[in-house]
């Protein structure tokens, strides 16, 4: 097999759930039938990888210093929803009618993996709470052991800043990741959140 083809297959394997066989099928498919779209894919990938960074306010993906949600004047500035990753932010945006702000941890507290308060941007979050605009902090970390430990820590941060912490209601299965929960369940859990 040619060197370029081997490189392409190897590169495709970085995608989640893509093993050697699938990567090979994708590479052949692009070369046999989808050259033009393949080039578009390459260009979109390059642009995205180089230009998408993180919002300086909420840490969500953004190509501007401040993302469109943080910059929007029509979003409620009194409610802040804290999620582990941009994937979950997207799930909440799509499944619920939430119109408040967000903060993305880009992880969860996990000392064994070297993820502490600093890595999760909790200094930035504390500054945000100290601005005094936020009244409720919805903690939407995953209901896993680490997610719960993170939620506990976040609730303390909120209380220390005089902000009311709430947590998503039941319906999200224990150990389940928010991104895999169906929309109805997520919308319900979001709507009937509880005080911590
Ligand atoms: Zn933002």
């Amino acid at each position: 097999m040619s060197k370029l083809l081997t490189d392409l297959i190897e590169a495709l394997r970085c995608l989640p759930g893509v093993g050697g066989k699938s990567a090979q099928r994708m590479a052949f498919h692009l070369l046999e039938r989808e050259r033009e779209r393949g080039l578009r894919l390459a260009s979109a990938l390059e642009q995205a990888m180089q230009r998408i960074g993180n919002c300086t306010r909420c840490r969500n993906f953004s190509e501007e210093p401040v993302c469109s949600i943080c910059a929007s004047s029509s979003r409620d500035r009194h409610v802040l929803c804290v999620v582990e990753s941009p994937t979950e932010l997207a799930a909440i945006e799509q499944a619920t009618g939430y119109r408040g702000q967000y903060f993305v941890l880009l992880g969860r507290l996990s000392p064994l993996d070297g993820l502490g308060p600093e890595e999760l941007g909790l200094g930035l979050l504390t500054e945000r709470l100290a601005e005094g605009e936020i009244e409720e902090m919805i903690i939407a970390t995953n209901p896993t052991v680490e997610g719960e430990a993170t939620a506990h820590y976040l609730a303390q941060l909120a209380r220390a800043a005089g902000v009311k912490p709430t947590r998503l209601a039941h319906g999200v299965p224990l150990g389940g990741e928010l991104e895999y929960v169906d929309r109805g369940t997520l919308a319900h859990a979001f709507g009937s959140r509880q005080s911590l």
Side-chain angles (χ1 to χ4, degrees), residues 44 47-56 59-69:
Q47 291 287 322
M49 292 306 123
Q50 285 179 351
R51 294 179 42 198
I52 298 178
N54 295 92
C55 170
T56 52
R59 315 214 313 162
N60 190 21
F61 291 141
S62 175
E63 51 198 90
E64 306 293 339
V66 175
C67 76
S68 57
I69 293 179

PDB file of all heavy atoms in Angstrom, residues 44 47-56 59-69:
ATOM      1  N   ALA A  44     -11.988  21.934   5.645  1.00  0.00           N
ATOM      2  CA  ALA A  44     -12.791  22.253   6.834  1.00  0.00           C
ATOM      3  C   ALA A  44     -12.046  21.844   8.097  1.00  0.00           C
ATOM      4  O   ALA A  44     -12.031  22.566   9.100  1.00  0.00           O
ATOM      5  CB  ALA A  44     -14.144  21.558   6.762  1.00  0.00           C
ATOM      6  N   GLN A  47      -9.151  24.347   8.728  1.00  0.00           N
ATOM      7  CA  GLN A  47      -9.658  25.626   9.221  1.00  0.00           C
ATOM      8  C   GLN A  47     -10.096  25.508  10.692  1.00  0.00           C
ATOM      9  O   GLN A  47      -9.762  26.343  11.526  1.00  0.00           O
ATOM     10  CB  GLN A  47     -10.871  26.076   8.393  1.00  0.00           C
ATOM     11  CG  GLN A  47     -10.532  26.468   6.973  1.00  0.00           C
ATOM     12  CD  GLN A  47      -9.812  27.805   6.918  1.00  0.00           C
ATOM     13  OE1 GLN A  47     -10.129  28.715   7.659  1.00  0.00           O
ATOM     14  NE2 GLN A  47      -8.816  27.914   6.059  1.00  0.00           N
ATOM     15  N   ALA A  48     -10.882  24.455  10.965  1.00  0.00           N
ATOM     16  CA  ALA A  48     -11.420  24.278  12.318  1.00  0.00           C
ATOM     17  C   ALA A  48     -10.303  24.068  13.335  1.00  0.00           C
ATOM     18  O   ALA A  48     -10.296  24.678  14.411  1.00  0.00           O
ATOM     19  CB  ALA A  48     -12.398  23.106  12.342  1.00  0.00           C
ATOM     20  N   MET A  49      -9.352  23.216  12.992  1.00  0.00           N
ATOM     21  CA  MET A  49      -8.268  22.911  13.935  1.00  0.00           C
ATOM     22  C   MET A  49      -7.417  24.135  14.217  1.00  0.00           C
ATOM     23  O   MET A  49      -6.906  24.328  15.312  1.00  0.00           O
ATOM     24  CB  MET A  49      -7.381  21.779  13.399  1.00  0.00           C
ATOM     25  CG  MET A  49      -8.063  20.439  13.329  1.00  0.00           C
ATOM     26  SD  MET A  49      -8.794  19.957  14.910  1.00  0.00           S
ATOM     27  CE  MET A  49     -10.486  19.718  14.453  1.00  0.00           C
ATOM     28  N   GLN A  50      -7.247  24.983  13.197  1.00  0.00           N
ATOM     29  CA  GLN A  50      -6.396  26.154  13.393  1.00  0.00           C
ATOM     30  C   GLN A  50      -7.122  27.332  14.015  1.00  0.00           C
ATOM     31  O   GLN A  50      -6.525  28.128  14.725  1.00  0.00           O
ATOM     32  CB  GLN A  50      -5.767  26.569  12.059  1.00  0.00           C
ATOM     33  CG  GLN A  50      -4.654  25.625  11.647  1.00  0.00           C
ATOM     34  CD  GLN A  50      -4.030  25.995  10.315  1.00  0.00           C
ATOM     35  OE1 GLN A  50      -4.543  26.858   9.615  1.00  0.00           O
ATOM     36  NE2 GLN A  50      -2.957  25.331   9.981  1.00  0.00           N
ATOM     37  N   ARG A  51      -8.426  27.453  13.721  1.00  0.00           N
ATOM     38  CA  ARG A  51      -9.099  28.698  14.117  1.00  0.00           C
ATOM     39  C   ARG A  51     -10.070  28.590  15.284  1.00  0.00           C
ATOM     40  O   ARG A  51     -10.460  29.600  15.852  1.00  0.00           O
ATOM     41  CB  ARG A  51      -9.791  29.303  12.904  1.00  0.00           C
ATOM     42  CG  ARG A  51      -8.740  29.740  11.876  1.00  0.00           C
ATOM     43  CD  ARG A  51      -9.342  30.321  10.627  1.00  0.00           C
ATOM     44  NE  ARG A  51     -10.465  31.210  10.881  1.00  0.00           N
ATOM     45  CZ  ARG A  51     -11.361  31.555   9.956  1.00  0.00           C
ATOM     46  NH1 ARG A  51     -11.252  31.078   8.742  1.00  0.00           N
ATOM     47  NH2 ARG A  51     -12.348  32.365  10.251  1.00  0.00           N
ATOM     48  N   ILE A  52     -10.497  27.374  15.638  1.00  0.00           N
ATOM     49  CA  ILE A  52     -11.424  27.271  16.766  1.00  0.00           C
ATOM     50  C   ILE A  52     -10.642  27.146  18.066  1.00  0.00           C
ATOM     51  O   ILE A  52      -9.833  26.231  18.232  1.00  0.00           O
ATOM     52  CB  ILE A  52     -12.385  26.071  16.595  1.00  0.00           C
ATOM     53  CG1 ILE A  52     -13.248  26.281  15.334  1.00  0.00           C
ATOM     54  CG2 ILE A  52     -13.279  25.924  17.834  1.00  0.00           C
ATOM     55  CD1 ILE A  52     -14.201  25.145  15.040  1.00  0.00           C
ATOM     56  N   GLY A  53     -10.863  28.088  18.949  1.00  0.00           N
ATOM     57  CA  GLY A  53     -10.215  28.046  20.258  1.00  0.00           C
ATOM     58  C   GLY A  53     -11.292  27.937  21.324  1.00  0.00           C
ATOM     59  O   GLY A  53     -12.345  27.336  21.076  1.00  0.00           O
ATOM     60  N   ASN A  54     -11.032  28.493  22.489  1.00  0.00           N
ATOM     61  CA  ASN A  54     -12.022  28.456  23.564  1.00  0.00           C
ATOM     62  C   ASN A  54     -12.396  29.871  23.968  1.00  0.00           C
ATOM     63  O   ASN A  54     -11.539  30.753  24.024  1.00  0.00           O
ATOM     64  CB  ASN A  54     -11.465  27.704  24.769  1.00  0.00           C
ATOM     65  CG  ASN A  54     -11.211  26.244  24.447  1.00  0.00           C
ATOM     66  OD1 ASN A  54     -10.109  25.874  24.037  1.00  0.00           O
ATOM     67  ND2 ASN A  54     -12.222  25.424  24.564  1.00  0.00           N
ATOM     68  N   CYS A  55     -13.682  30.057  24.228  1.00  0.00           N
ATOM     69  CA  CYS A  55     -14.191  31.363  24.674  1.00  0.00           C
ATOM     70  C   CYS A  55     -13.474  31.747  25.976  1.00  0.00           C
ATOM     71  O   CYS A  55     -13.309  30.917  26.871  1.00  0.00           O
ATOM     72  CB  CYS A  55     -15.700  31.264  24.891  1.00  0.00           C
ATOM     73  SG  CYS A  55     -16.422  32.700  25.693  1.00  0.00           S
ATOM     74  N   THR A  56     -13.064  32.998  26.072  1.00  0.00           N
ATOM     75  CA  THR A  56     -12.326  33.430  27.256  1.00  0.00           C
ATOM     76  C   THR A  56     -13.237  33.583  28.477  1.00  0.00           C
ATOM     77  O   THR A  56     -12.770  33.724  29.597  1.00  0.00           O
ATOM     78  CB  THR A  56     -11.653  34.800  27.019  1.00  0.00           C
ATOM     79  OG1 THR A  56     -12.649  35.716  26.535  1.00  0.00           O
ATOM     80  CG2 THR A  56     -10.541  34.692  26.002  1.00  0.00           C
ATOM     81  N   ARG A  59     -15.264  29.149  28.109  1.00  0.00           N
ATOM     82  CA  ARG A  59     -14.401  28.049  27.668  1.00  0.00           C
ATOM     83  C   ARG A  59     -15.052  27.126  26.635  1.00  0.00           C
ATOM     84  O   ARG A  59     -14.504  26.082  26.312  1.00  0.00           O
ATOM     85  CB  ARG A  59     -13.862  27.213  28.860  1.00  0.00           C
ATOM     86  CG  ARG A  59     -13.353  28.082  30.000  1.00  0.00           C
ATOM     87  CD  ARG A  59     -12.182  27.540  30.747  1.00  0.00           C
ATOM     88  NE  ARG A  59     -12.251  26.167  31.152  1.00  0.00           N
ATOM     89  CZ  ARG A  59     -11.186  25.449  31.500  1.00  0.00           C
ATOM     90  NH1 ARG A  59      -9.987  25.992  31.482  1.00  0.00           N
ATOM     91  NH2 ARG A  59     -11.305  24.203  31.889  1.00  0.00           N
ATOM     92  N   ASN A  60     -16.225  27.493  26.110  1.00  0.00           N
ATOM     93  CA  ASN A  60     -16.814  26.701  25.027  1.00  0.00           C
ATOM     94  C   ASN A  60     -15.982  26.932  23.764  1.00  0.00           C
ATOM     95  O   ASN A  60     -15.225  27.890  23.687  1.00  0.00           O
ATOM     96  CB  ASN A  60     -18.258  27.166  24.778  1.00  0.00           C
ATOM     97  CG  ASN A  60     -19.000  26.231  23.828  1.00  0.00           C
ATOM     98  OD1 ASN A  60     -18.611  25.075  23.650  1.00  0.00           O
ATOM     99  ND2 ASN A  60     -20.052  26.740  23.221  1.00  0.00           N
ATOM    100  N   PHE A  61     -16.140  26.054  22.755  1.00  0.00           N
ATOM    101  CA  PHE A  61     -15.452  26.271  21.487  1.00  0.00           C
ATOM    102  C   PHE A  61     -15.897  27.597  20.899  1.00  0.00           C
ATOM    103  O   PHE A  61     -17.084  27.930  20.916  1.00  0.00           O
ATOM    104  CB  PHE A  61     -15.799  25.157  20.493  1.00  0.00           C
ATOM    105  CG  PHE A  61     -15.230  23.823  20.855  1.00  0.00           C
ATOM    106  CD1 PHE A  61     -15.974  22.670  20.668  1.00  0.00           C
ATOM    107  CD2 PHE A  61     -13.939  23.711  21.360  1.00  0.00           C
ATOM    108  CE1 PHE A  61     -15.455  21.428  20.995  1.00  0.00           C
ATOM    109  CE2 PHE A  61     -13.409  22.473  21.690  1.00  0.00           C
ATOM    110  CZ  PHE A  61     -14.175  21.328  21.507  1.00  0.00           C
ATOM    111  N   SER A  62     -14.951  28.349  20.361  1.00  0.00           N
ATOM    112  CA  SER A  62     -15.299  29.617  19.727  1.00  0.00           C
ATOM    113  C   SER A  62     -14.157  30.066  18.840  1.00  0.00           C
ATOM    114  O   SER A  62     -12.989  29.859  19.150  1.00  0.00           O
ATOM    115  CB  SER A  62     -15.553  30.674  20.805  1.00  0.00           C
ATOM    116  OG  SER A  62     -15.773  31.935  20.215  1.00  0.00           O
ATOM    117  N   GLU A  63     -14.506  30.693  17.712  1.00  0.00           N
ATOM    118  CA  GLU A  63     -13.440  31.236  16.872  1.00  0.00           C
ATOM    119  C   GLU A  63     -13.224  32.715  17.171  1.00  0.00           C
ATOM    120  O   GLU A  63     -12.318  33.334  16.633  1.00  0.00           O
ATOM    121  CB  GLU A  63     -13.708  30.983  15.393  1.00  0.00           C
ATOM    122  CG  GLU A  63     -15.073  31.400  14.916  1.00  0.00           C
ATOM    123  CD  GLU A  63     -15.417  30.728  13.593  1.00  0.00           C
ATOM    124  OE1 GLU A  63     -15.987  29.634  13.622  1.00  0.00           O
ATOM    125  OE2 GLU A  63     -15.113  31.330  12.562  1.00  0.00           O
ATOM    126  N   GLU A  64     -14.076  33.275  18.034  1.00  0.00           N
ATOM    127  CA  GLU A  64     -13.898  34.649  18.502  1.00  0.00           C
ATOM    128  C   GLU A  64     -13.440  34.557  19.963  1.00  0.00           C
ATOM    129  O   GLU A  64     -13.681  33.550  20.617  1.00  0.00           O
ATOM    130  CB  GLU A  64     -15.232  35.410  18.473  1.00  0.00           C
ATOM    131  CG  GLU A  64     -15.948  35.402  17.140  1.00  0.00           C
ATOM    132  CD  GLU A  64     -15.194  36.173  16.056  1.00  0.00           C
ATOM    133  OE1 GLU A  64     -14.342  37.023  16.412  1.00  0.00           O
ATOM    134  OE2 GLU A  64     -15.438  35.902  14.872  1.00  0.00           O
ATOM    135  N   PRO A  65     -12.812  35.633  20.497  1.00  0.00           N
ATOM    136  CA  PRO A  65     -12.390  35.597  21.903  1.00  0.00           C
ATOM    137  C   PRO A  65     -13.569  35.345  22.849  1.00  0.00           C
ATOM    138  O   PRO A  65     -13.433  34.669  23.862  1.00  0.00           O
ATOM    139  CB  PRO A  65     -11.801  36.988  22.131  1.00  0.00           C
ATOM    140  CG  PRO A  65     -11.403  37.470  20.773  1.00  0.00           C
ATOM    141  CD  PRO A  65     -12.389  36.861  19.805  1.00  0.00           C
ATOM    142  N   VAL A  66     -14.751  35.926  22.512  1.00  0.00           N
ATOM    143  CA  VAL A  66     -15.958  35.686  23.305  1.00  0.00           C
ATOM    144  C   VAL A  66     -16.991  35.033  22.390  1.00  0.00           C
ATOM    145  O   VAL A  66     -17.266  35.524  21.298  1.00  0.00           O
ATOM    146  CB  VAL A  66     -16.507  37.011  23.888  1.00  0.00           C
ATOM    147  CG1 VAL A  66     -17.829  36.781  24.600  1.00  0.00           C
ATOM    148  CG2 VAL A  66     -15.494  37.626  24.856  1.00  0.00           C
ATOM    149  N   CYS A  67     -17.556  33.882  22.824  1.00  0.00           N
ATOM    150  CA  CYS A  67     -18.474  33.119  21.964  1.00  0.00           C
ATOM    151  C   CYS A  67     -19.818  33.814  21.784  1.00  0.00           C
ATOM    152  O   CYS A  67     -20.142  34.769  22.497  1.00  0.00           O
ATOM    153  CB  CYS A  67     -18.678  31.721  22.535  1.00  0.00           C
ATOM    154  SG  CYS A  67     -19.783  31.678  23.955  1.00  0.00           S
ATOM    155  N   SER A  68     -20.616  33.304  20.856  1.00  0.00           N
ATOM    156  CA  SER A  68     -21.887  33.968  20.527  1.00  0.00           C
ATOM    157  C   SER A  68     -22.875  33.912  21.697  1.00  0.00           C
ATOM    158  O   SER A  68     -23.671  34.821  21.884  1.00  0.00           O
ATOM    159  CB  SER A  68     -22.503  33.340  19.280  1.00  0.00           C
ATOM    160  OG  SER A  68     -22.694  31.957  19.485  1.00  0.00           O
ATOM    161  N   ILE A  69     -22.826  32.852  22.518  1.00  0.00           N
ATOM    162  CA  ILE A  69     -23.754  32.773  23.658  1.00  0.00           C
ATOM    163  C   ILE A  69     -23.382  33.835  24.699  1.00  0.00           C
ATOM    164  O   ILE A  69     -24.232  34.572  25.178  1.00  0.00           O
ATOM    165  CB  ILE A  69     -23.752  31.355  24.286  1.00  0.00           C
ATOM    166  CG1 ILE A  69     -24.342  30.350  23.286  1.00  0.00           C
ATOM    167  CG2 ILE A  69     -24.550  31.340  25.591  1.00  0.00           C
ATOM    168  CD1 ILE A  69     -24.381  28.914  23.774  1.00  0.00           C
TER     169      ILE A  69
END
